[in-house]
Amino acid sequence: AGNETSTNAIAGGVVLLIQNPNEQAKLKANPELINSAVEEILRLETPTSGMWRRATQDTEIDGVAIPEGSFLMVRFAAGNRDESIFPCGGDMRVDRDNAGNHLAFGQGTHFCLGAQLARTELQVALTALLKRTDNWALVEGKNSLKHHPNVLLRGLMDLHIAFDKVS
């Protein structure tokens, strides 16, 4: 468990940092931001983008009646871009103060048991990549940046990058 989601989060994080070179530079210059950057990557990439839940009682959400026993798809990825919680929610900010308020690992009794391991894997991978490589770029003509068609998991179909080795 967790292999695919961690792999997808790392790959998605690399793409985000390539697409946001100022944020990548900020992270390289301030390695102490790695924990915040990991939370921001999890918020934006949300490797488990949703999960099924069953309503345990009659309720109403935004004027829509939801009877007890109804199955719902909770979309973590949508919540993680909620502008009322994350101003400019579609933007990457490695120093976002509240990035850790994301729902990437679920919530409450359904919180992911592997959350700390996943965070550590991302921290180790990104720290090593940032320390050992420079000038990240997507290889031209090789990346579709398409995601696997999956209602629950979010992951790139392929990722080809170029970089320079740090001397």
Side-chain angles (χ1 to χ4, degrees):
N3 177 340
E4 187 175 2
T5 50
S6 293
T7 300
N8 291 338
I10 292 166
V14 167
V15 171
L16 282 170
L17 289 168
I18 289 170
Q19 293 172 333
N20 294 276
N22 292 339
E23 296 301 301
Q24 183 183 151
K26 191 185 304 180
L27 187 54
K28 273 186 139 333
N30 303 286
E32 69 277 4
L33 291 174
I34 194 68
N35 293 346
S36 174
V38 163
E39 298 302 327
E40 185 72 342
I41 288 165
L42 289 165
R43 183 184 75 78
L44 287 168
E45 278 302 306
T46 316
T48 304
S49 54
M51 195 62 65
W52 295 103
R53 295 290 180 252
R54 187 178 61 80
T56 58
Q57 62 186 21
D58 290 343
T59 191
E60 185 177 304
I61 298 175
D62 202 23
V64 176
I66 301 175
E68 178 182 352
S70 296
F71 282 93
L72 307 166
M73 170 59 80
V74 178
R75 301 303 296 170
F76 306 136
N80 286 343
R81 291 172 185 257
D82 184 338
E83 296 277 334
S84 70
I85 305 296
F86 305 104
C88 301
D91 295 347
M92 181 186 207
R93 296 182 180 165
V94 297
D95 57 356
R96 187 181 293 272
D97 289 338
N98 69 340
N101 292 342
H102 62 74
L103 300 171
F105 296 118
Q107 198 67 212
T109 59
H110 297 287
F111 189 76
C112 175
L113 291 174
Q116 193 51 51
L117 176 60
R119 285 181 168 110
T120 301
E121 289 172 331
L122 267 73
Q123 291 162 358
V124 168
L126 291 172
T127 297
L129 286 169
L130 289 163
K131 190 182 294 185
R132 298 176 186 175
T133 63
D134 208 356
N135 301 317
W136 298 3
L138 296 171
V139 175
E140 194 143 341
K142 292 275 191 177
N143 291 289
S144 67
L145 296 184
K146 290 184 180 176
H147 292 81
H148 291 283
N150 189 313
V151 71
L152 298 178
L153 301 178
R154 177 176 168 79
L156 289 166
M157 295 178 89
D158 57 18
L159 178 60
H160 304 273
I161 63 170
F163 55 86
D164 295 330
K165 181 180 175 185
V166 172
S167 309

